Amino acid sequence: MQVEALQMTPVRPVQMSAESHLGETERAEETKGFSDYLKDALKETNQLQLDSDRWNAALAAGQVDDVSQVVIAAQKADIALQLTLQLRNRAVSAYQEIMRMQV
């Protein structure tokens, strides 16, 4: 009897799916990847920055009655930008840590 060595990686990709015989399982929509979430977050941060710029321009032109709206837009943009910068810093730090690992 010949014994084959165990393989840690499967020969072909494992796909898991299950369907109910009762017909209650719906097809899952295409799942978003990490890069999609990252792109969406960056677009939203950029949009908040643009909105803040528009509010500031409207304030300078005298078209804004309530200054608090301008301040709120500026704070939203600032918080989103700070979060984005912190995420970037953490990603760079993690990359540097991985590069320092000895293999």
Side-chain angles (χ1 to χ4, degrees):
M1 178 174 163
Q2 184 178 358
V3 177
E4 295 182 20
L6 292 175
Q7 295 181 355
M8 296 306 288
T9 57
V11 176
R12 56 186 167 85
V14 177
Q15 295 180 347
M16 304 197 60
S17 64
E19 291 189 29
S20 172
H21 66 280
L22 300 174
E24 60 201 22
T25 306
E26 295 180 14
R27 294 276 179 197
E29 293 181 14
E30 188 69 27
T31 57
K32 291 172 62 172
F34 177 74
S35 64
D36 295 330
Y37 284 111
L38 188 60
K39 287 177 188 175
D40 290 345
L42 289 175
K43 285 179 184 176
E44 186 174 340
T45 300
N46 187 42
Q47 187 60 44
L48 287 171
Q49 291 289 330
L50 294 174
D51 289 344
S52 176
D53 289 344
R54 273 191 231 109
W55 277 103
N56 285 331
L59 178 66
Q63 300 171 347
V64 176
D65 294 331
D66 190 10
V67 179
S68 66
Q69 294 296 326
V70 178
V71 174
I72 290 171
Q75 286 299 311
K76 282 183 181 180
D78 184 52
I79 290 171
L81 182 61
Q82 292 299 319
L83 176 64
T84 303
L85 289 175
Q86 288 300 318
L87 288 174
R88 184 213 50 189
N89 292 342
R90 293 289 172 113
V92 168
S93 176
Y95 174 77
Q96 289 172 344
E97 187 68 29
I98 290 171
M99 293 309 291
R100 276 187 243 136
M101 286 182 170
Q102 295 180 357
V103 193

